[in-house]
Amino acid sequence: MYELIDGKTISMDIKNEVKEEVKMLNAQGKKVSLAVILVGNDPASAVYVGNKKKACEYTGIESVSYELEENISQEELLSLIDKLNKQDDINGILVQLPLPKHIDEDAVIKAIAPEKDVDGFHPQSVGALSIGQKGYVSCTPAGIIELLKRSNVDIEGKECVVVGRSNIVGKPMALLLLRENGTVTVCHSRTKDLKEVTKRADILVVAIGKPKFITKEYVKEGAVVIDVGIHRNENNKLCGDVDFDDVAPITSKITPVPGGVGPMTIAMLMKNCVEGAK
Ligand code: NDP
């Protein structure tokens, strides 16, 4: 019988830990604050930003919100970031992605001071992760490590397979599993025989962006499966990159969608903010 990895409960535990740390910092006269920048009217981005603000409220982190017009120029956005970089009362800066097409996302990410880069997307943060130095780590993969550890999954020495090599999930995920002494393989759209590789995994992390792509033919009996994908199915219900009903029975542990990886991303963002303030 498989076990569900409960992201809802684990993320709540993390938010409660953050709340305690914020209280302690406040008692020492230190505030924790996050600047959240939203450009344009993308409804999904507005929901994500709203959820981040709610999490800030819950944990006692002050959020300062900047809602900018869709047609703001790149220069104006960069100058706001520059101003926030210099403000001592701001610990973290988050620019909600994606940005409108006329703005160069890479330039915006690079403009955020690495010590305020709570999303962990700055090249310096990514470089630090790859050479084992301190720095912010992208929230979704950092959350997956927490999910594994807090569900008593040993990573050391395990065959870990990551499907997907995006800059925000797949690549940092692989680096973090390596840092935990896993034996790591990264797969992508050019991988020749995906099933053959994924079937080797003791820990399989799937971030492909294709609904219910991974069926039981891709999974070794007893594996731990982490599903990063989020999609709406034909009935408008949330589902992941893994076909849960097909795969779950042969796993030892698996994350559900919703209630698995999803809630961890914001919890880790809160954790990053408090680490920054410390
Ligand atoms: P991207 O689209 O940036 O990356 C997808 C990756 O999957 C690419 O590396 C691509 O390979 C690989 N891929 C695509 N098709 C195949 C295939 N047939 N076989 C093997 N590999 C394949 O997605 P993200 O990493 O940004 O996101 C992945 C999923 O996770 C999405 O559903 C997204 O919504 C979700 N997500 C969830 C988060 C959460 O908080 N739970 C946070 C972030 C994302 P190649 O590089 O060769 O193109």
Side-chain angles (χ1 to χ4, degrees):
M1 187 56 194
Y2 68 90
E3 230 178 82
L4 273 185
I5 297 181
D6 183 356
K8 251 187 177 169
T9 302
I10 296 173
S11 65
M12 205 59 211
D13 291 345
I14 292 173
K15 282 194 276 184
N16 285 331
E17 289 161 19
V18 168
K19 194 174 182 172
E20 283 310 306
E21 291 197 84
V22 172
K23 258 191 215 155
M24 269 161 45
L25 288 167
N26 287 349
Q28 296 163 16
K30 288 183 202 155
K31 284 193 172 163
V32 186
S33 59
L34 172 68
V36 181
I37 303 175
L38 173 66
V39 183
N41 315 308
D42 178 52
S45 291
V47 171
Y48 292 139
V49 164
N51 289 340
K52 287 168 189 176
K53 284 194 222 160
K54 267 190 223 151
C56 283
E57 250 168 59
Y58 182 80
T59 51
I61 294 173
E62 280 185 17
S63 69
V64 189
S65 187
Y66 295 86
E67 279 158 31
L68 310 175
E69 298 287 332
E70 176 92 18
N71 60 2
I72 190 174
S73 71
Q74 181 164 320
E75 287 64 38
E76 284 171 287
L77 178 56
L78 292 179
S79 112
L80 171 62
I81 293 171
D82 185 49
K83 188 182 100 176
L84 294 168
N85 282 341
K86 292 175 181 147
Q87 261 178 246
D88 289 339
D89 58 344
I90 296 289
N91 307 112
I93 302 172
L94 181 147
V95 180
Q96 184 63 45
L97 302 178
L99 289 168
K101 295 222 171 351
H102 66 281
I103 297 178
D104 175 359
E105 265 180 21
D106 287 341
V108 170
I109 291 170
K110 259 197 216 155
I112 298 172
E115 63 275 14
K116 297 192 181 187
D117 172 40
V118 283
D119 255 340
F121 295 163
H122 192 286
Q124 188 169 313
S125 308
V126 179
L129 173 63
S130 71
I131 57 173
Q133 290 183 358
K134 249 181 118 74
Y136 287 112
V137 177
S138 177
C139 299
T140 302
I144 291 170
I145 295 291
E146 288 291 328
L147 278 181
L148 291 170
K149 287 187 172 172
R150 291 176 191 234
S151 307
N152 301 315
V153 176
D154 251 347
I155 302 170
E156 184 159 324
K158 295 284 165 59
E159 285 282 347
C160 304
V161 176
V162 180
V163 190
R165 57 172 165 181
S166 69
N167 290 341
I168 61 166
V169 186
K171 281 186 197 136
M173 186 72 252
L175 289 167
L176 284 173
L177 289 165
L178 190 60
R179 190 166 88 178
E180 298 296 330
N181 298 315
T183 302
V184 183
T185 308
V186 182
C187 303
H188 44 78
S189 65
R190 316 287 167 86
T191 298
K192 284 242 165 68
D193 186 351
L194 185 63
K195 276 184 195 154
E196 187 271 322
V197 185
T198 56
K199 272 224 153 215
R200 283 190 241 142
D202 300 312
I203 299 173
L204 177 63
V205 181
V206 186
I208 301 185
K210 295 192 170 148
K212 296 189 185 180
F213 184 94
I214 296 291
T215 54
K216 67 173 184 289
E217 290 72 33
Y218 288 82
V219 181
K220 178 167 86 174
E221 184 100 30
V224 173
V225 175
I226 305 290
D227 187 356
V228 186
I230 312 177
H231 312 276
R232 293 245 167 226
N233 71 8
E234 55 286 357
N235 306 319
N236 205 32
K237 279 199 163 161
L238 288 177
C239 72
D241 287 348
V242 175
D243 184 341
F244 184 90
D245 294 337
D246 190 49
V247 170
I250 69 158
T251 67
S252 58
K253 298 184 190 213
I254 183 167
T255 56
V257 177
V261 173
M264 294 301 291
T265 302
I266 291 186
M268 295 310 287
L269 174 69
M270 299 298 109
K271 200 168 154 71
N272 275 353
C273 289
V274 91
E275 290 301 322
K278 280 201 285 189

